[in-house]
Amino acid sequence: MAFSRNFPGLPPFPDDVPTAPLLRLSLEKLLRKDKEEIQRFCQVCEDIGFFYLDLRESKLGTSILADADKLFTVGESLFELSLEEKQKYDFSRQNSYFGYKAQGAVVVDRQGNLDRNEFYNVCF
């Protein structure tokens, strides 16, 4: 699964940090039109507005998880490209939110410190 393979050694979430009580709904049960799961879905949408969707145990969900694993590999390959290659797709030069942003391209505070993140936005 993507989580364990792509984030090895991730420590457990701390017990002393407050969390939101999120419901976990089953995609498989929703696809099977399970009445109880549909009722839980409607209720959580009204009460909280968001939820975890468990993709396991569903052919469609398993396919989505496999695609996510492939995208992690694509992402790794993308960021291993040379800076020169990635900057060909600089989103600021294209006046767009889609494309590449290099680390240190944006001032983040009054002291003039630069950001420390690099990303590539894509549009579907």
Side-chain angles (χ1 to χ4, degrees):
M1 187 168 280
F3 183 80
S4 59
R5 184 170 50 251
N6 291 303
F7 303 103
L10 192 66
F13 194 81
D15 292 331
D16 60 342
V17 175
T19 60
L22 293 182
L23 229 90
R24 183 179 306 269
L25 297 173
S26 165
L27 177 60
E28 175 62 21
K29 288 180 181 179
L30 291 170
L31 291 173
R32 281 192 284 117
K33 297 181 170 71
D34 179 275
K35 289 184 191 278
E36 188 176 313
E37 198 73 355
I38 290 171
Q39 187 175 29
R40 291 176 70 224
F41 170 76
C42 292
Q43 193 65 53
V44 75
C45 287
E46 290 176 11
D47 294 345
I48 301 175
F50 50 95
F51 52 87
Y52 290 117
L53 183 61
D54 189 346
L55 301 175
R56 300 170 297 177
E57 300 176 15
S58 154
K59 185 176 180 181
L60 175 60
T62 303
S63 175
I64 292 169
L65 290 170
D67 288 345
D69 281 341
K70 291 175 190 172
L71 286 173
F72 276 109
T73 304
V74 169
E76 288 173 359
S77 299
L78 172 82
F79 288 106
E80 288 173 358
L81 293 172
S82 69
L83 182 58
E84 179 184 18
E85 181 65 25
K86 290 182 283 192
Q87 285 182 328
K88 291 178 185 176
Y89 307 95
D90 185 315
F91 77 124
S92 63
R93 286 190 216 145
Q94 300 174 37
N95 201 23
S96 169
Y97 291 111
F98 304 114
Y100 176 72
K101 190 208 78 69
Q103 180 178 345
V106 177
V107 175
V108 294
D109 60 23
R110 292 180 182 166
Q111 289 75 36
N113 292 311
L114 300 176
D115 70 272
R116 298 189 292 174
N117 65 332
E118 171 185 47
F119 62 77
Y120 195 105
N121 284 336
V122 295
C123 177
F124 293 98

